[in-house]
């Protein structure tokens, strides 16, 4: 199954919300850019029902070059983590159990 | 930043669109992404990240209240992996800004 992209989301806004193609494309760009900008400014992003994008500062830790086995430190860094909200988790879970039932009855 | 703040920020940069339309559109984007994942689809946003589903095998768990064991069937859980531009921008901000703690909400 092909992955969904920004173009698919813009097309959806065009057909179902009635934005014109330009507005739909701009809105999708802004949607993802504003989330990135908030995270870049040190703010967590909470999209109720969908999930939270959180920031974590990781300290330096020992690592290894998997090819050579050489020990190299993994530098301290800031990373983004995503925690799915209850609604998203439930929908994905329900769908996966429904699929299971369907394949049993087929 | 909450969903309503995201809507306000987008609206302030798309001043030709009524706030109501931006609100509808943001909710439509989130619903559309949710439906895609519920259908088992991956979502790939270049420079932002990708959403995929991770399989969790069936397992025996405990009801923490009663201590009885519960059979949990296998399932899929949503997973996000940050894209390169997201990783780089967030990591570069480490030296400039501290992580702001926000009061917890539902979810």
């Amino acid at each position: 199954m092909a992955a969904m992209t920004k173009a698919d989301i813009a097309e959806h806004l065009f057909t179902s919300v009635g934005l014109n193609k330009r507005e739909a494309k701009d809105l999708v760009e802004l949607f993802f850019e504003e989330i990135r900008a908030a995270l870049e400014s040190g703010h967590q992003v909470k999209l109720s029902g969908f999930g939270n994008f959180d920031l974590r500062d990781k300290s330096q830790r020992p690592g290894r070059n998997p090819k050579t086995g050489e020990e190299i430190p993994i530098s301290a860094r800031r990373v983004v983590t995503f925690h799915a909200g209850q609604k998203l988790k439930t929908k994905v879970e329900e769908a996966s159990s429904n699929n299971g039932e369907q394949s049993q009855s087929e | 930043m909450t969903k309503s703040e995201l809507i306000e920020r987008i609206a302030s940069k798309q001043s030709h669109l009524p706030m109501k339309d931006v609100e509808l559109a943001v909710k439509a984007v989130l619903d559309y992404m949710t439906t895609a994942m519920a259908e088992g689809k991956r979502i790939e946003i270049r420079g932002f990240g990708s959403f995929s589903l991770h399989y969790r095998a069936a397992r025996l768990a405990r009801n923490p209240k009663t201590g009885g064991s519960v059979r949990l069937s296998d399932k899929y859980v949503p997973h996000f992996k940050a894209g390169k531009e997201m990783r780089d921008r967030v990591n570069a901000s480490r030296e400039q800004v501290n992580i702001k703690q926000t009061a917890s909400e539902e979810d």
Side-chain angles (χ1 to χ4, degrees):
Chain A
M1 192 158 20
M4 174 181 284
T5 62
K6 282 192 291 195
D8 297 315
I9 301 172
E11 180 66 24
H12 175 70
L13 291 182
F14 170 68
T15 54
S16 75
V17 181
L19 300 188
N20 71 38
K21 296 228 173 185
R22 178 84 244 163
E23 292 164 344
K25 187 168 179 285
D26 289 349
L27 195 126
V28 172
E29 285 297 336
L30 264 177
F31 175 86
F32 292 108
E33 177 51 28
E34 289 300 324
I35 296 174
R36 262 192 312 240
L39 292 166
E40 196 176 19
S41 68
H43 291 94
Q44 173 195 37
V45 177
K46 299 198 272 200
L47 304 175
S48 168
F50 186 75
N52 295 352
F53 294 92
D54 295 323
L55 294 166
R56 290 178 69 108
D57 280 328
K58 313 260 241 177
S59 39
Q60 180 181 308
R61 61 193 168 93
R64 226 171 247 289
N65 179 331
K67 267 188 200 144
T68 64
E70 182 198 358
E71 272 210 43
I72 28 167
I74 297 171
S75 59
R77 60 193 61 197
R78 178 170 294 175
V79 298
V80 177
T81 59
F82 175 72
H83 300 275
Q86 203 49 56
K87 186 177 147 207
L88 174 59
K89 270 193 208 163
T90 308
K91 286 209 163 184
V92 165
E93 212 173 299
E94 277 172 0
S96 42
S97 61
N98 288 342
N99 291 343
E101 279 159 28
Q102 277 164 14
S103 61
Q104 273 168 16
S105 60
E106 274 163 16
Chain B
M1 181 173 76
T2 60
K3 197 191 296 177
S4 45
E5 287 164 346
L6 174 61
I7 291 165
E8 283 168 22
R9 283 182 207 191
I10 296 174
S12 73
K13 291 182 182 171
Q14 296 283 288
S15 45
H16 57 286
L17 285 182
M19 180 84 139
K20 190 79 206 149
D21 287 8
V22 175
E23 187 180 347
L24 278 176
V26 165
K27 290 181 173 166
V29 170
L30 292 169
D31 284 346
Y32 195 54
M33 291 171 70
T34 300
T35 305
M37 282 188 265
E39 287 169 355
K41 251 188 215 151
R42 267 177 74 80
I43 306 171
E44 288 178 6
I45 310 297
R46 175 89 41 98
F48 183 86
S50 60
F51 296 87
S52 59
L53 301 177
H54 281 190
Y55 179 73
R56 294 283 178 266
R59 63 189 177 96
L60 278 178
R62 298 228 167 250
N63 179 333
K65 271 193 196 136
T66 65
S69 65
V70 200
R71 192 181 297 275
L72 293 182
S73 52
D74 62 344
K75 63 175 181 184
Y76 283 90
V77 295
H79 178 79
F80 174 73
K81 184 171 186 286
K84 181 160 168 41
E85 186 193 338
M86 172 81 102
R87 281 203 309 273
D88 291 348
R89 283 173 57 179
V90 163
N91 193 38
S93 72
R94 192 170 63 96
E95 311 277 332
Q96 273 77 49
V97 290
N98 287 326
I99 296 173
K100 277 87 170 174
Q101 295 303 330
T102 37
S104 67
E105 258 180 31
E106 84 287 15
D107 263 330

